[in-house]
Amino acid sequence: MSENINLNKTVYNKAQYEKTIDTSFNQLGVQTIQEQLDQQPTVEEFFALYNELFYDIPENGSTNSHEYLIQQSSEYINFNQNSAEVEALQQEISQLRIELLEAQKQIVELQTGTTL
């Protein structure tokens, strides 16, 4: 019950091997740097995509949010242009609250005849 099996072995020299056998990794999904750069969106494509996804992006969050984009962009361009104006307005609001409280105290004092 024995059976003879013939095995054949093909041997290539270096020149034949490189011409016959594909040794690149193109089937593994590895891309060259140029291919990766070509797939990067242009600025126009980025903003078109941003406009499409605008309402899908969360408002707040430490990453992947409108808040994150604002913080990153503000840091990049050194955007503190409105901070002085905002601070002045906050101080004005605080002063107006103090004045409102004093006016309310005067109204109570006038209505009750007592000093607070």
Side-chain angles (χ1 to χ4, degrees):
M1 293 286 298
S2 69
E3 184 178 335
N4 287 337
I5 299 176
N6 292 327
L7 299 176
N8 295 325
K9 179 179 177 183
T10 305
V11 178
Y12 298 101
N13 66 27
K14 184 174 181 178
Q16 290 174 324
Y17 178 80
E18 290 175 352
K19 290 179 184 176
T20 307
I21 306 296
D22 183 9
T23 59
S24 66
F25 290 103
N26 55 10
Q27 293 181 355
L28 296 176
V30 177
Q31 297 177 331
T32 65
I33 293 174
Q34 187 60 46
E35 289 172 334
Q36 291 175 8
L37 289 174
D38 291 343
Q39 288 183 346
Q40 292 292 319
T42 64
V43 173
E44 292 81 16
E45 292 169 336
F46 169 79
F47 281 106
L49 188 57
Y50 175 74
N51 287 331
E52 280 181 39
L53 298 172
F54 186 83
Y55 292 107
D56 296 331
I57 299 171
E59 292 177 13
N60 300 313
S62 59
T63 59
N64 298 337
S65 67
H66 288 288
E67 178 184 23
Y68 175 76
L69 289 172
I70 291 169
Q71 288 173 348
Q72 292 295 312
S73 296
S74 296
E75 287 176 14
Y76 179 71
I77 64 170
N78 250 349
F79 186 75
N80 290 326
Q81 180 178 355
N82 293 333
S83 63
E85 184 178 345
V86 169
E87 187 175 327
L89 290 170
Q90 288 174 334
Q91 288 176 354
E92 183 178 353
I93 290 169
S94 295
Q95 183 60 37
L96 289 171
R97 286 180 177 165
I98 291 169
E99 291 173 14
L100 178 60
L101 182 61
E102 290 297 322
Q104 288 173 338
K105 282 172 61 176
Q106 286 179 351
I107 290 172
V108 169
E109 287 176 353
L110 290 172
Q111 287 176 344
T112 61
T114 59
T115 303
L116 297 176

